[in-house]
Amino acid sequence: MPTRPDLRRTALGVSLIALAAVGAAVSAYLVARFVERESIRVADELTDRSHTAERLSAALSESVGAEYAWLLRPRPELLQDLGHSRAVFREQLEQLERHAAGEDEVRRLRRIGELERAYRVQVDRVIELAQAGQGPEALSRMKDDVEPIGRSLAQMVEAERRITSAALQRRRLDLEYRFSRASMILGFASALALVLTVGAATAFGVALTRSRRQLRKAAEDAEARQSLLQGLISAAPDLVILFDTDQRIRYASLSALKAMGTTLQEVLGSPLLELPLFVHHRGAVAKVANDALIRGETSRIEGWHPTVTGQVYFECRIAPIFREGRIEAAVLTARDLTQRKQFEAELQESNRRVTTIVESITDAFVSLDREWRYSYVNREAERLLGIGREKLEGRNMWEAFPALKETALYREYHRAVREGLAVHLEEYLPPLKAWLEIHAYPSDLGLSVYFRDISSRKRTEAALKLLAGASAQLSDTLDVEPISARLTRLVVPALADASVLCIDADHGSCRMFVAASDPAKERQLREVMFRYPPAPSDRRGIGAVMRQGTPELVPTPDVQYALDTARDPEHLALLRDLGLSSLLIVPLRARGATLGALALATMGADRRLAEADLMLAQQLADRAAIAIDNAQLFETVQSAVRSREEVMAVVSHDLRNPLHHLMLSIDHLLRSANLDPTARRILERGRRSAKQMATLIRDLLDFSTAISGHLSLERAAHPVDQLLQEAAESVAPLLESRGLRLRLENGAHGALVDVDRERFHQVLGNLLGNAIKFSPRGGTITVGAENVASSREVSFWVKDEGPGVPPEEADRIFDRIWRGGASSQGHGTGLGLAIVKGIVELHGGRVWLHPESGGARFCFTLPQPHGAEAQRGMLRSDPGGTGGGAPTLH
C-alpha cells in the first residue's frame, strides 16, 4: 500500500502531468488559433491578389476583345464566335475549380492545358476567317496588331491558369487547416493522456511547419502571378492605366509611361485628367470616365496628341472593374491610330480623286452591288435617270425601275454578271423615253455601268433612213399620182399620225392626198379636206402656207387657231372632232415656185411635233417637190413629144405625096428623047434635090421615133456572114462610082445576132455612107466583125482613110444636127450618126468612136440570140456562105 508521500508524489506527478497536459493543450490551442489567424490572413491576401489579378485580366481581356471587335468589325459573326469561345473557356475553368479540388494536381493541370489548347485553336480559326475577308493593306496592318495581341492573350491565359492553380492550392490548404483544427480538438479532449497530448503537440508542430511552408509558397506564387500580370500589361502594345473611383492613377503600363515621358512613381496617385496625353480632350475623357465609374458603361473616344514630329492620333477606351457587384476601379486602354488615320486620309483622298474623275466625265456612270443596289450614281446619271442620287443609292435597280425587267437590259445585265463578260448594247428604255448606249463591266463587287443618251443620234439615223427611203420611192416613178400617194403614206406613222398633201393645180384648185394611221380618222380627215379644201384666202393652214411659201408649226393648237382656220361653225366642229394635238405645214418648193404643201398632224397626248420634225418634214417636202416637178416636166415633155410626132406624121404625109409626084414627073420627063442637054441637066439636079428631100424626111421620122423609144423592131436571129455580104452588095455601085474599095474582116464567122435586119442595114448603111463621103478617091473602107465572148455580143466596125475626127469633137460626134469641122466635104442632114446610136441602143448594144492615128473607126455591138432563136437563125443561114476570108470588092 503506498505511503502518503508516495501518494503525494503520485498526486504531484499526476498533477504535473495534468498541468503539463493542460499546458500542452492550451499551448496547442493557442498555436492552432495563431495558425488559423495566419492562414486566414494569408488566404485573404492571396484571395485579394487573385481577385485583383482576375479583374485586371478581365479588363485587359475586354480591351483585347475590343481590339478583336475593331479587327472583326466587317465580320460580326466571327466576333460573336470569339466571345462565345472565351465564355465557354471561362465557364469550364470555373467548373474545374469547383469540382476538381480533390483531384490530383497533375490531372488538374493537364485538363487546364487541354482547355487552353482548345481555346487557342478556336481563336486561331477566328483570326484566319477574319484575315480571309480583308484586303492587302488591312492584312498587313492586322498582322502588326494581332501578333502582340496574340502574345498578350497567351500570357493572359497563362496568368489565368496560375490563378486557378493558386485557388486550388488555397482550397487544399484550407482543407489541411481544418484537418489540423480537428486534430487539435481531439488532442485537447485526450489531454489527460500524455501520449495523446504529446502526439497532438507533435501533430500541431508538424501542421504548423507545413502550413508556414505552404503559405510562404502561396505568397511567392502570388508575387510571381502579379509580376507576370504586370509584365503582360507592360508588354501589350496598348497604353493601360488603372485608376480608382476618385479618378486617381493606381497603375500605368510601361508603354503608357513611355508615351507620357514619365515614371510610375511620378504618376501614382495623380489625377487622371492631369496626364499630358489628355490635355486637349479633358472634357471628353472626364465624361467617359464618369460613365465607367458611375454608370458602369464601357465607352470610347478618339483624339490627338501633339508631338515633336507632328500629331499622334489615338483611340481611348475606359471599362469599369467590378468587385462583389460594385464598381471598384476602372481601366483605361489607348491605342495609336496614327497609321490608320493616315491610311484613311489617303483612302479618302483617293476616293475624292476617283469621285472627281467620275463626276467630270460626260458619260453617266452608276455602280451596282451584287444585290443590284445602286452604290454610286454620278451627276450625269442623275440627270438622265431623273432621280437624285440620295433616292437611288442603296435602292434595288429593278425596284426603282420595274419596267426595265421587260427589256433586253435585264437579260444582258444578268448575263454579264453570270458569265463575267462585258456587254455593250443600244436600247430604247420606255421609263426614260430615250435611247441609251450602254457599256456594263462586271467585277467581284458587282457591275459598273457607263451609258449615254443617243436619242438625238437615233432620231438623226431614223431621219436619214426615212429620207433615203423617200428618195428611192419618189424617184422610182415619173407619175405625179404615185409620188403623192407614196409621200403621204411614207410619213405615217414614222413622223405623224396623219398627213395631207395638196398640189397646186390650174385655176386655183389643188389635188389632195390624205393618209392616217387610224382608218376611221383617215375617213374623217378626208371628209373635212374635201368639204373644205384649202383656199388662197385662208389666214392659217395649208392655203396660207401655199400662198406665203413659209412653214407653219403649231405645237399645241388652241381655240384661237381653230377659229382662225375654220370657215363656219360646222367646219369648227369637224376640226375639234379630229382631236389634233400638234400640227405642222411645210411648202413644196421647186425652181423658185411653190408647188403645194405637206401637212402633218398628231392626234395623241403622248406625241408632239417639234422643230426637229419641222426640219425633217421640210427636207421631205423639198425632195417631193423635186420629184413632183420632174414628173410634171416629164408630162410636159411627153405631151410635147406626142405633139411633135403628130406634127411629123402630118408633115411627112403631106410632104411625101407631092414629093413622090414630083419625082415621078421628073422621071417621066427624063425618059423623053427630045430633051436638050441643058434641060436634062436641070431635071437631073431637080431629081437629086427631091431625092435628098425624101432622105431628109425619112431621117427626121427615124430620128424622132428612135429618141422617143417608139421605133418598132422585128428582131430575129441572123447570121453575121449573110448580113455583111448583103451590106457590101448594097454599097457596091456607090463605091465603084467613087473609085473606092471595100474590105471585109469577118472574125465572127458562123455567129448569129439578134437584130432587126432592115434596121441593121440602115445602121451599117449610114456608117458606110459616112465613110464613103469622107474617104479620098482610090481609098479603102474596112468593115469587120468579131465575137465578144465575155458578154455574148458581136462587135462590128467601119473604118475609113479620111481626115478623121479631131479629139475635141469626139464626144459630140453622135449628137443630132452636128457635122463637125469636115462638113464642107459633103452634104447631109447631120442625123445619120444620131440615128445609128438610137437604133443600136434600142437593140441593147453600144456605139462609140475608136481612136485611130489616121481616118475614123466607128464601132458598135449587137447581142447574140439564145436557145431556140439561135437554132432558128442557123436554119435561115446560107450553108454556102462566104467563109472567114476577107474579099475585096471594086
Side-chain angles (χ1 to χ4, degrees):
M1 177 174 191
T3 61
R4 185 177 297 271
D6 293 335
L7 291 174
R8 288 180 180 176
R9 285 193 295 271
T10 301
L12 179 61
V14 171
S15 299
L16 291 176
I17 293 173
L19 289 175
V22 170
V26 171
S27 300
Y29 177 78
L30 294 177
V31 170
R33 290 293 297 172
F34 173 77
V35 171
E36 181 182 7
R37 285 195 299 270
E38 284 294 314
S39 298
I40 292 173
R41 184 183 63 79
V42 174
D44 290 340
E45 182 180 356
L46 291 176
T47 301
D48 291 340
R49 292 184 181 183
S50 298
H51 287 171
T52 302
E54 288 178 359
R55 289 193 296 273
L56 289 176
S57 176
L60 184 59
S61 176
E62 294 295 332
S63 175
V64 173
E67 289 303 324
Y68 275 111
W70 177 82
L71 291 173
L72 304 176
R73 190 174 302 130
R75 303 288 296 273
E77 69 278 6
L78 300 183
L79 180 61
Q80 184 177 359
D81 291 345
L82 181 61
H84 177 71
S85 300
R86 184 180 182 279
V88 171
F89 173 64
R90 295 287 297 176
E91 182 179 358
Q92 291 176 345
L93 283 179
E94 292 175 359
Q95 291 179 356
L96 182 62
E97 180 180 353
R98 289 195 301 267
H99 302 293
E103 293 182 0
D104 183 66
E105 184 177 1
V106 176
R107 293 181 61 189
R108 291 198 305 272
L109 295 179
R110 185 182 299 114
R111 292 184 62 183
I112 292 175
E114 291 174 355
L115 292 176
E116 290 175 355
R117 286 191 293 275
Y119 180 45
R120 183 70 260 175
V121 170
Q122 182 68 14
V123 171
D124 292 341
R125 185 184 69 83
V126 172
I127 293 176
E128 288 175 358
L129 291 177
Q131 291 175 346
Q134 303 294 327
E137 298 85 354
L139 286 176
S140 178
R141 183 159 52 86
M142 185 187 297
K143 181 179 179 182
D144 297 336
D145 293 336
V146 168
E147 287 181 354
I149 293 173
R151 291 193 301 268
S152 300
L153 182 62
Q155 294 174 356
M156 181 185 70
V157 172
E158 177 64 19
E160 290 180 350
R161 188 184 66 81
R162 292 181 178 274
I163 291 170
T164 303
S165 178
L168 293 176
Q169 291 178 4
R170 185 180 62 81
R171 286 179 178 273
R172 182 178 178 182
L173 180 63
D174 183 66
L175 292 174
E176 292 177 351
Y177 163 73
R178 291 180 182 179
F179 178 77
S180 300
R181 187 174 181 183
S183 301
M184 178 195 68
I185 295 173
L186 182 61
F188 181 75
S190 58
L192 298 178
L194 180 59
V195 175
L196 295 178
T197 302
V198 174
T202 305
F204 282 129
V206 172
L208 177 60
T209 304
R210 188 172 182 179
S211 296
R212 286 183 175 180
R213 189 184 306 116
Q214 290 179 351
L215 288 175
R216 189 182 303 110
K217 186 176 184 302
E220 292 175 355
D221 290 342
E223 290 291 338
R225 286 195 296 272
Q226 186 173 2
S227 300
L228 179 62
L229 183 59
Q230 291 179 354
L232 170 63
I233 296 174
S234 299
D238 295 342
L239 282 65
V240 180
I241 298 175
L242 180 67
F243 58 93
D244 56 18
T245 55
D246 295 331
Q247 296 188 11
R248 293 189 176 274
I249 298 174
R250 294 303 177 212
Y251 178 78
S253 66
L254 182 60
S255 55
L257 297 174
K258 186 176 181 181
M260 294 183 292
T262 183
T263 61
L264 182 61
Q265 289 74 18
E266 294 176 353
V267 300
L268 285 178
S270 60
L272 176 68
L273 299 181
E274 292 184 1
L275 294 179
L277 184 63
F278 308 123
V279 65
H280 298 283
H281 307 280
R282 288 180 177 174
V285 174
K287 180 180 180 305
V288 173
N290 289 331
D291 291 341
L293 294 174
I294 297 175
R295 301 179 183 178
E297 297 177 355
T298 301
S299 305
R300 55 177 297 277
I301 61 169
E302 290 187 3
W304 57 274
H305 177 65
T307 62
V308 178
T309 58
Q311 292 181 344
V312 175
Y313 293 90
F314 62 88
E315 178 188 39
C316 179
R317 182 175 181 276
I318 298 179
I321 298 177
F322 293 90
R323 181 179 181 183
E324 296 179 357
R326 63 182 182 86
I327 300 174
E328 183 181 83
V331 60
L332 180 149
T333 57
R335 166 173 284 276
D336 189 353
L337 299 180
T338 305
Q339 292 184 353
R340 185 196 301 178
K341 289 293 183 180
Q342 292 175 352
F343 176 76
E344 291 176 353
E346 292 174 359
L347 183 60
Q348 291 177 358
E349 178 63 21
S350 177
N351 291 336
R352 187 191 65 79
R353 289 197 298 267
V354 172
T355 302
T356 302
I357 294 173
V358 173
E359 291 292 339
S360 64
I361 61 177
T362 57
D363 289 347
F365 171 78
V366 299
S367 61
L368 304 170
D369 61 15
R370 304 293 293 186
E371 303 297 329
W372 300 106
R373 293 188 298 263
Y374 287 100
S375 56
Y376 183 80
V377 180
N378 75 343
R379 188 181 302 107
E380 181 64 14
E382 283 185 295
R383 187 186 68 81
L384 290 182
L385 298 178
I387 304 177
R389 69 182 70 186
E390 66 280 356
K391 296 182 179 180
L392 283 178
E393 291 179 353
R395 189 178 179 186
N396 185 280
M397 177 183 181
W398 313 121
E399 295 177 358
F401 303 98
L404 294 181
K405 292 184 177 181
E406 307 300 328
T407 64
L409 186 70
Y410 183 84
R411 297 188 299 272
E412 291 298 311
Y413 276 14
H414 281 78
R415 184 173 70 88
V417 173
R418 182 176 60 255
E419 300 178 6
L421 299 176
V423 295
H424 312 282
L425 70 156
E426 294 180 359
E427 182 76 7
Y428 178 77
L429 302 182
L432 305 181
K433 296 182 180 180
W435 278 90
L436 296 184
E437 178 186 355
I438 303 170
H439 303 268
Y441 303 93
S443 66
D444 294 338
L445 301 179
L447 201 64
S448 299
V449 183
Y450 297 84
F451 56 96
R452 65 178 65 179
D453 188 355
I454 58 172
S455 300
S456 177
R457 192 190 80 191
K458 284 293 182 179
R459 285 194 295 268
T460 303
E461 291 175 355
L464 293 176
K465 184 178 180 180
L466 181 63
L467 291 176
S471 299
Q473 294 191 31
L474 296 178
S475 62
D476 190 39
T477 180
L478 288 174
D479 193 351
V480 176
E481 293 285 339
I483 290 174
S484 304
R486 289 176 183 178
L487 179 61
T488 54
R489 293 295 177 187
L490 187 66
V491 297
V492 176
L495 281 181
D497 298 325
S499 65
V500 176
L501 177 62
C502 183
I503 300 176
D504 193 12
D506 296 334
H507 310 294
S509 61
C510 66
R511 301 160 63 184
M512 284 186 296
F513 301 86
V514 178
S517 56
D518 184 1
K521 288 291 184 181
E522 182 175 341
R523 290 191 297 270
Q524 189 176 358
L525 182 61
R526 193 181 300 275
E527 178 185 358
V528 174
M529 296 307 301
F530 281 93
R531 288 183 60 182
Y532 298 94
S537 59
D538 292 341
R539 290 184 297 171
R540 305 288 296 271
I542 297 177
V545 172
M546 291 177 63
R547 184 183 71 250
Q548 299 171 0
T550 56
E552 181 178 281
L553 173 62
V554 186
T556 306
D558 53 8
V559 177
Q560 186 61 42
Y561 182 83
L563 293 174
D564 293 342
T565 306
R567 299 176 186 173
D568 53 40
E570 185 178 0
H571 190 195
L572 180 61
L574 291 175
L575 290 177
R576 289 178 175 175
D577 291 341
L578 286 176
L580 302 181
S581 58
S582 62
L583 174 70
L584 68 83
I585 308 172
V586 292
L588 274 68
R589 296 172 296 200
R591 295 189 297 156
T594 301
L595 305 181
L598 174 65
L600 303 178
T602 60
M603 300 178 181
D606 58 342
R607 192 173 187 182
R608 291 287 190 276
L609 296 172
E611 289 290 340
D613 301 310
L614 177 63
M615 297 175 60
L616 178 58
Q618 186 62 66
Q619 294 185 25
L620 280 173
D622 293 342
R623 285 167 168 77
I626 294 173
I628 293 173
D629 185 55
N630 290 337
Q632 291 177 344
L633 290 175
F634 181 73
E635 289 179 355
T636 303
V637 171
Q638 290 292 95
S639 177
V641 169
R642 287 191 296 269
S643 300
R644 184 198 63 191
E645 290 178 350
E646 293 174 359
V647 170
M648 292 295 295
V650 172
V651 169
S652 63
H653 181 270
D654 293 343
L655 287 178
R656 277 182 172 181
N657 288 336
L659 188 59
H660 181 65
H661 291 299
L662 177 62
M663 291 181 67
L664 289 177
S665 299
I666 292 175
D667 289 340
H668 180 72
L669 291 174
L670 287 175
R671 285 194 296 269
S672 301
N674 54 355
L675 289 177
D676 59 3
T678 303
R680 184 175 293 280
R681 285 195 302 270
I682 292 173
L683 289 174
E684 287 178 352
R685 283 200 300 269
R687 187 177 184 280
R688 287 194 300 269
S689 297
K691 187 176 181 180
Q692 186 176 4
M693 185 177 293
T695 302
L696 176 61
I697 293 173
R698 186 198 66 186
D699 288 347
L700 285 174
L701 288 174
D702 289 345
F703 177 74
S704 177
T705 54
I707 64 174
S708 64
H710 297 158
L711 185 66
S712 60
L713 299 176
E714 297 181 1
R715 302 175 65 170
H718 296 282
V720 174
D721 302 335
Q722 186 177 353
L723 293 176
L724 291 180
Q725 188 64 34
E726 290 173 356
E729 292 174 355
S730 65
V731 297
L734 186 58
L735 290 171
E736 185 177 356
S737 65
R738 297 293 300 271
L740 299 173
R741 294 180 300 174
L742 180 66
R743 179 178 177 81
L744 294 178
E745 296 182 355
N746 185 10
H749 174 64
L752 300 176
V753 287
D754 183 20
V755 70
D756 186 320
R757 187 176 191 139
E758 183 180 351
R759 295 302 179 183
F760 174 83
H761 288 306
Q762 185 177 357
V763 169
L764 206 57
N766 285 353
L767 293 178
L768 285 171
N770 190 67
I772 291 172
K773 182 169 58 177
F774 292 104
S775 294
R777 181 174 291 275
T780 301
I781 297 175
T782 305
V783 178
E786 63 180 357
N787 287 319
V788 183
S790 60
S791 58
R792 290 189 57 82
E793 293 179 325
V794 176
S795 175
F796 299 87
W797 68 85
V798 176
K799 183 179 183 302
D800 60 46
E801 296 178 350
V805 180
E808 62 273 9
E809 298 178 356
D811 294 337
R812 301 182 56 195
I813 194 68
F814 293 100
D815 292 349
R816 52 189 170 181
I817 320 297
W818 189 85
R819 297 188 181 91
S823 60
S824 59
Q825 298 184 18
H827 302 281
T829 63
L831 296 174
L833 294 179
I835 294 173
V836 167
K837 180 180 180 182
I839 294 174
V840 170
E841 290 180 348
L842 283 176
H843 280 83
R846 298 170 290 114
V847 62
W848 68 95
L849 174 66
H850 193 277
E852 294 286 340
S853 58
R857 181 179 179 180
F858 291 90
C859 305
F860 65 94
T861 62
L862 292 173
Q864 295 182 357
H866 299 274
E869 295 180 358
Q871 294 296 329
R872 290 194 295 270
M874 292 298 294
L875 293 176
R876 288 195 299 269
S877 65
D878 184 9
T882 59
T888 301
L889 303 180
H890 300 281

